[in-house]
Amino acid sequence: MTMAYLARPEQQQKLEWLDGGTFSVLLDKEATEGKLTVGRFDVAKGEAPPLHLHTREDEVFMLVKGTALVWSGEEEHELREGGIVYLPRNVPHAYRITSDRADLLMIATPGGIEGMFRHAGRDLTTPRPDGFEIPISLLAEASELYGGVILGPPR
């Protein structure tokens, strides 16, 4: 990389995600020459993606604010504010937010997983259709397109 990349908050894409939460694309693969994706979730209590794994990237989650339960394989752990977890590719994982709100930073390497969020999520600069939700069929399609495998329902 010959030049650093800088994106001010107003330049970062914000997507509506599961259960009305948001996912902000802070850095995508284009900005990092494919090396990583950095995103940030702002979600409410109970937000929980399906049990899944990624075949292409490793993930790191840091809970900036809030609390959550995190599953990695068959292990369950409580993640508190400031906690961080590394989730290697091909390891089944899931989480459930247990606080009223959570601010969750995600780093995935290599980059590209943001395509899944863009495929299934709704860009907040577009009008919100009545009754908008992300059906499991769209989530499964987006996951498959970007190397993810949904293994079961949320925990």
Side-chain angles (χ1 to χ4, degrees):
M1 186 175 268
T2 58
M3 177 182 270
Y5 178 84
L6 170 74
R8 297 184 188 340
E10 62 274 9
Q11 296 171 297
Q12 298 162 0
Q13 184 181 29
K14 288 190 177 183
L15 303 165
E16 184 172 352
W17 192 237
L18 300 176
D19 302 319
T22 60
F23 178 74
S24 298
V25 181
L26 306 180
L27 291 171
D28 61 15
K29 70 178 185 177
E30 283 75 29
T32 65
E33 296 181 335
K35 291 178 177 60
L36 59 97
T37 295
V38 179
R40 195 165 185 176
F41 294 92
D42 177 16
V43 293
K45 186 174 189 168
E47 194 270 346
L51 178 66
H52 64 281
L53 62 82
H54 304 280
T55 62
R56 298 179 186 167
E57 58 274 316
D58 301 321
E59 282 184 298
V60 173
F61 283 109
M62 180 180 179
L63 197 55
V64 179
K65 290 187 179 180
T67 58
L69 292 175
V70 178
W71 291 269
S72 177
E74 292 302 315
E75 296 179 21
E76 178 184 317
H77 300 278
E78 184 177 344
L79 193 62
R80 296 186 323 250
E81 194 166 298
I84 191 166
V85 60
Y86 167 66
L87 300 162
R89 69 190 75 188
N90 296 313
V91 172
H93 60 277
Y95 65 84
R96 178 173 297 279
I97 302 302
T98 55
S99 54
D100 288 338
R101 293 222 58 86
D103 179 357
L104 185 65
L105 184 69
M106 180 209 70
I107 301 168
T109 182
I113 196 171
E114 70 278 0
M116 180 194 70
F117 295 100
R118 288 174 171 154
H119 186 87
R122 181 188 68 84
D123 191 305
L124 290 180
T125 62
T126 64
R128 188 177 199 273
D130 289 339
F132 175 82
E133 66 176 45
I134 300 171
I136 190 68
S137 59
L138 181 58
L139 186 58
E141 174 184 280
S143 183
E144 187 176 326
L145 285 170
Y146 292 92
V149 180
I150 294 179
L151 301 169
R155 292 196 166 178

